[in-house]
Amino acid sequence: MTSIGGAQMVDWNLAVATATRLVRPGPDISREEARAVVAELRRHAKTSEEHVRLFTRMIPEGTEPEDTPVLVVDRPGWIKANVAGFRELLQPLLAKMESRRSGGPGGAVLGAVGGKVTGVELGMLLSFLASRVLGQYETFAPATRELPASANGGGRLLLVAPNIVHVERELDVDPHDFRLWVALHEETHRTQFTGVPWLRDHLQGEIQTFLDETDVDPMTFLERLREAAQSLSGGRPEGEQGESDTRSLVDIVQTPAQREVLGRLTAVMSLLEGHADYVMDGVGPDVVGSVSEIREKFQQRRAQGAGRLDQALRKLLGLDAKLRQYKDGEKFVRSVVDEVGMDGFNRVWTSPNTLPTKAEIAKPADWVARVHRKAES
């Protein structure tokens, strides 16, 4: 475990314990009903594979991509899986902080209290997210006894059963249609990573470049942590006025070099999320009878949030930006497919050089001109 001054940088066990203790209980459901939900989600995950492959044409016929497990989990299970993923992804950054630890007062303070404080804060954030995530393809998931992953360096699909049941009840939609609709979205993410072998390494490289540029000075870290806490509580550092000046945690940790990397990451995530939305709506009419009703109600829920605290936390965590990624990415995919067809769109998966830039996500015609017309000239 990486540490500063003999103390853990992040107390991961405390993060799990805090999140599990604070997370809201799931919907009221009998044990028999819960078993039926789990079984149905597993069936939908399996049938979604064929639907997504036929629609996207990303995986050549007769080709079997790398198999990744599908896990139907509860909220504590999602928390444990994500803490394991964070430990894996952040290990180089924490090692860097260890190698650059200072003997000054900042390092002493961070070494004494940092692990516990960071563990509790991470647990609080995960408890908030654990009741909202419907599903997730874990790209960098290490295998554990409880949570298996693919054999070649990670990858598993999580479906969070209590959250799916909660939302389908809240929206008052057909539960069987909604469960299949969610499975189609998440299966698209699995197809993206299993059908495009270089994508995982590319994304991991971009994330590590972002983390390598992180300012690891302990006092700067504590100052940014204080700023984040003030934003969450409604206070602001002196000189900041108005709601529009409130920065998310992503903004707080950025350096100029990180902004460049973040622009590329934003473009990739917009592509992946928008593509998943496009696919589940494209497949939906043939296999999900009430897809129009589900989409309309779900979009309203996404936009509104669950109240003022929910909206404040979404802004702080940068989740509002994620909502824009769904919208902007789906527009990009739809525009490109309308112009050059699905096979033409699939050139996006050729190499990192054919991924859209952040500017091209907003102007799909520019991507078509760069990738198609340049290749044809």
Side-chain angles (χ1 to χ4, degrees), residues 101-113:
R101 65 181 176 180
S102 169
V109 171
L110 188 57
V113 302

Side-chain angles (χ1 to χ4, degrees), residues 130-313:
S131 62
R132 287 158 175 78
V133 175
L134 302 181
Q136 173 184 359
Y137 183 77
E138 277 204 295
T139 315
F140 311 109
T144 67
R145 184 182 302 176
E146 295 180 344
L147 298 163
S150 65
N152 298 320
R156 58 181 168 232
L157 182 61
L158 305 180
L159 295 171
V160 191
N163 296 350
I164 293 172
V165 172
H166 171 78
V167 174
E168 71 192 25
R169 290 178 178 180
E170 183 181 87
L171 298 181
D172 191 25
V173 294
D174 182 284
H176 309 293
D177 281 359
F178 184 75
R179 294 165 196 173
L180 177 55
W181 189 70
V182 171
L184 288 168
H185 181 102
E186 302 307 332
E187 176 58 36
T188 302
H189 286 317
R190 184 164 69 152
T191 299
Q192 290 163 348
F193 283 95
T194 57
V196 185
W198 54 264
L199 184 58
R200 179 186 183 274
D201 288 342
H202 172 72
L203 193 58
Q204 185 174 32
E206 291 282 57
I207 293 171
Q208 290 305 328
T209 300
F210 182 87
L211 294 177
D212 286 344
E213 292 293 335
T214 299
D215 187 342
V216 292
D217 174 70
M219 288 306 294
T220 302
F221 176 83
L222 289 175
E223 175 64 21
R224 288 174 174 172
L225 200 60
R226 180 190 66 84
E227 189 175 337
Q230 287 183 333
S231 296
L232 183 58
S233 65
R236 295 183 181 85
E238 187 177 351
E240 291 192 7
Q241 301 293 330
E243 184 179 353
S244 61
D245 291 330
T246 300
R247 295 188 289 176
S248 74
L249 288 176
V250 172
D251 296 322
I252 290 168
V253 300
Q254 278 189 63
T255 66
Q258 283 178 306
R259 291 189 189 99
E260 292 185 20
V261 180
L262 190 63
R264 297 195 297 268
L265 281 171
T266 297
V268 174
M269 297 312 297
S270 296
L271 171 69
L272 299 180
E273 296 294 357
H275 183 237
D277 267 12
Y278 178 81
V279 170
M280 73 178 180
D281 284 346
V283 174
D286 293 330
V287 298
V288 182
S290 57
V291 64
S292 297
E293 177 191 3
I294 291 173
R295 163 56 81 184
E296 181 180 357
K297 290 183 175 181
F298 193 75
Q299 289 285 49
Q300 291 174 355
R301 183 181 184 274
R302 265 183 184 172
Q304 292 171 357
R308 295 181 66 181
L309 177 59
D310 183 84
Q311 291 172 4
L313 285 169

